[in-house]
Amino acid sequence: MMGACRDMERPRVSMADFAVAVYPFVEMQPFHEVYYRLLELFAAGRVRRLIVSMPPQHGKSVGASTLLPAYLLGLNPDARVAVASYSAALASKFNRRVQRIIESEEYGAIFPDTRIKTGGKPAGYVRTSDEVEIVGRDGGLLSVGREGSLTGNRVDCFILDDLYKDAMEANSPLVRENCWDWYTSVVRTRMHNASSELIVFTRWHDEDLIGELRRRERCVDMREWSDLDRLDDGDWLCLNFEALKCSPACGIDPRGAGEALWPERQSAALLESKRRLDPLRFECMYQGHPSPRGGLLYGDGFVEYDALPSEIVRYAGYTDTADMGDDYLCSVAYAVDADGVIYLLDAVYSREPMEVTEGLVAAMVGRTPITSMLVESNNGGRGFARALQRLLPRVRIEWFHQSGNKEARILSHSATVMHSVRFPRGWAQRWPEMYAHLSSYSRVFRSNRWHDAPDVLTGIVEREAPCGAETKIRSVGFF
């Protein structure tokens, strides 16, 4: 089971059991069990400020904006709950769904003290598509669209679900600014000391509401259930579900690399096809890793080529093995013309173990006319070079120890990489992960998770640049 949680004091009806009882058609995948358990802790007050990001069509709104408000009002009929979305119409749709749940026999059997007006009775209580009051209690549910007013309304729990309609809205600085202003001037002003906030989004932009809050307030990223103990008053607890697992396995999400979050709904093959169409947007929407638009080291500035020039003076390759268990091996075959321009011919970018990548790199070399391969000997690279030499006896395999500082090398050579390196037309579709990591690579070195592809491009221009040749030759070993 994904993320089996520690024993904690729980409400008499768990959120997951409640969901199945009132929504018998709900599909409960392992990650949903984690999601609903976290929503349950939020409803019980164990977590007061919660951010969850999730890919599209994975059930985030069913849990957060439909089932959770009904569950909250069942636990506490005096609670004043508000649900907000990018439009008043969508927020009202959530409200009507909650009302239908509260009216159901299944709900009444679980929470008999939480009732709403039915057929005009009892008189004196509000029930519209935007607001409903709990009969005989102080609680109720409000719905509001982004930039809507809540004047005079106390809010005990605010649920913000997708405040941006689409990429066009999220990419608009004006819309993002208006959303932030509305959040600070409306949402925050309706809250009191004991109020709670839930923000559940598909990420669209690095500077969306989640991005702004992460920059301005303390956030605790949740990987284990014990991370709950690290929360201080006012902290945000943040959980991101990746469509394709790329971060290290953990107690909350023990999937292996490349496994789909909901394979029965969106398989790894389908997700990979979506990644190939638009790697940057995929990293944002499906992986929850938006790129900092204003601070990219390379961006989309790489030049593509359709055919090699007639005069090629050198064919070679460069390989950097994975530093850690979830890092990438990056191996590139390239050509250099008489002007020193570097043309990438083929690449292997993989997190498979070395016994697999040895064959992948050997096959790549066999598809290209390269006659030599340079391998960084750090982190097992020398053993990889020996294995590669056995597989490629006619290719000159060289190894060397990289002693230069990675951050300084990548940042200082970035302009040379952009100026000197050419990629084959359509490379974003051929190597989508490599493209995503290069095009989203931040100038702020520590904010990047993967450095493998930039490190290899840097190593290639260092090797091919005349000023660095002598140093490289002294550090090279041969088999």
Side-chain angles (χ1 to χ4, degrees), residues 18 22-23 65-71 73 83 91-105 107-108 114-119 125-134 140-143:
F18 170 77
V22 300
Y23 257 31
S65 300
T66 302
L67 291 167
L68 178 61
Y71 186 69
L73 291 170
V83 174
S92 295
K93 185 177 181 179
F94 292 141
N95 200 320
R96 293 193 299 272
R97 288 176 177 174
V98 175
Q99 293 179 33
R100 286 194 290 270
I101 291 175
I102 294 176
E103 281 187 309
S104 68
E105 293 182 7
Y107 186 89
T114 302
R115 297 182 299 110
I116 59 177
K117 182 177 182 177
T118 303
Y125 287 91
V126 174
R127 182 178 179 182
T128 68
S129 61
D130 297 322
E131 182 177 4
V132 63
E133 295 177 329
I134 305 303
L141 176 65
L142 293 164
S143 59

Side-chain angles (χ1 to χ4, degrees), residues 105-424:
E105 293 182 7
E106 293 82 2
Y107 186 89
I110 300 171
F111 297 121
D113 296 332
T114 302
R115 297 182 299 110
I116 59 177
K117 182 177 182 177
T118 303
K121 296 181 180 180
Y125 287 91
V126 174
R127 182 178 179 182
T128 68
S129 61
D130 297 322
E131 182 177 4
V132 63
E133 295 177 329
I134 305 303
V135 173
R137 308 299 290 263
D138 290 335
L141 176 65
L142 293 164
S143 59
V144 63
R146 187 191 66 217
E147 300 178 27
S149 174
L150 284 170
T151 304
N153 288 293
R154 167 193 112 237
V155 177
D156 302 316
C157 176
F158 226 126
I159 300 169
L160 307 178
D161 184 348
D162 277 340
L163 292 186
Y164 309 94
K165 181 180 181 180
D166 50 28
M168 185 176 296
E169 281 202 351
N171 286 322
S172 166
L174 179 61
V175 171
R176 293 197 308 273
E177 182 179 354
N178 288 344
C179 181
W180 178 254
D181 288 344
W182 175 78
Y183 174 75
T184 56
S185 63
V186 176
V187 175
R188 283 290 180 92
T189 60
R190 295 298 95 201
M191 307 186 79
H192 51 83
N193 287 344
S195 294
S196 57
E197 294 179 76
L198 168 63
I199 299 177
V200 56
F201 276 12
T202 290
R203 296 299 304 272
W204 289 100
H205 195 281
D206 179 59
E207 296 175 0
D208 59 19
L209 181 62
I210 291 178
E212 287 299 317
L213 287 171
R214 290 187 68 92
R215 275 184 283 274
R216 297 167 186 258
E217 300 186 325
R218 185 174 185 269
C219 297
V220 174
D221 290 311
M222 188 175 187
R223 296 182 177 87
E224 306 290 341
W225 289 104
S226 58
D227 289 329
L228 291 167
D229 298 328
R230 298 197 291 122
L231 286 175
D232 292 329
D233 188 47
D235 289 351
W236 287 95
L237 183 67
C238 301
L239 176 59
N240 175 46
F241 288 108
E242 299 165 323
L244 288 173
K245 183 67 172 173
C246 68
S247 58
C250 60
I252 292 294
D253 188 354
R255 287 179 294 157
E259 289 187 32
L261 184 61
W262 194 350
E264 294 81 6
R265 179 68 62 86
Q266 297 197 37
S267 67
L270 175 63
L271 292 168
E272 288 290 0
S273 69
K274 293 181 179 183
R275 190 206 295 267
R276 286 192 294 272
L277 288 175
D278 192 336
L280 273 178
R281 184 159 295 176
F282 183 88
E283 286 297 307
C284 182
M285 292 179 59
Y286 287 86
Q287 300 296 86
H289 304 308
S291 303
R293 299 298 201 274
L296 299 179
L297 189 63
Y298 309 116
D300 287 325
F302 290 109
V303 179
E304 297 184 354
Y305 71 91
D306 294 302
L308 290 174
S310 57
E311 188 177 357
I312 295 295
V313 298
R314 172 175 166 80
Y315 291 96
Y318 192 106
T319 297
D320 180 17
T321 56
D323 289 347
M324 300 170 60
D326 66 323
D327 283 345
Y328 287 76
L329 171 138
C330 185
S331 183
V332 171
Y334 64 91
V336 185
D337 70 9
D339 295 322
V341 177
I342 300 161
Y343 298 84
L344 269 59
L345 305 174
D346 207 343
V348 173
Y349 196 65
S350 172
R351 288 189 294 179
E352 295 288 342
M354 283 193 179
E355 56 267 25
V356 175
T357 53
E358 289 165 359
L360 295 176
V361 173
M364 178 193 71
V365 172
R367 295 191 297 267
T368 62
I370 72 172
T371 56
S372 66
M373 171 69 75
L374 188 64
V375 180
E376 289 191 14
S377 63
N378 313 44
N379 305 297
R382 190 170 182 179
F384 185 91
R386 289 196 183 98
L388 206 58
Q389 186 68 83
R390 289 193 295 269
L391 294 172
L392 301 166
R394 299 188 181 186
V395 176
R396 186 179 182 84
I397 306 298
E398 313 165 75
W399 60 266
F400 79 104
H401 178 73
Q402 178 58 264
S403 58
N405 178 271
K406 184 175 294 187
E407 177 178 2
R409 291 173 52 247
I410 290 175
L411 298 181
S412 63
H413 287 287
S414 60
T416 306
V417 168
M418 296 291 291
H419 176 73
S420 301
V421 177
R422 304 287 184 269
F423 286 77

Side-chain angles (χ1 to χ4, degrees), residues 14-26 28 36 67 106:
S14 73
M15 177 78 180
D17 289 343
F18 170 77
V20 173
V22 300
Y23 257 31
F25 48 84
V26 72
M28 195 66 67
Y36 282 91
L67 291 167
E106 293 82 2

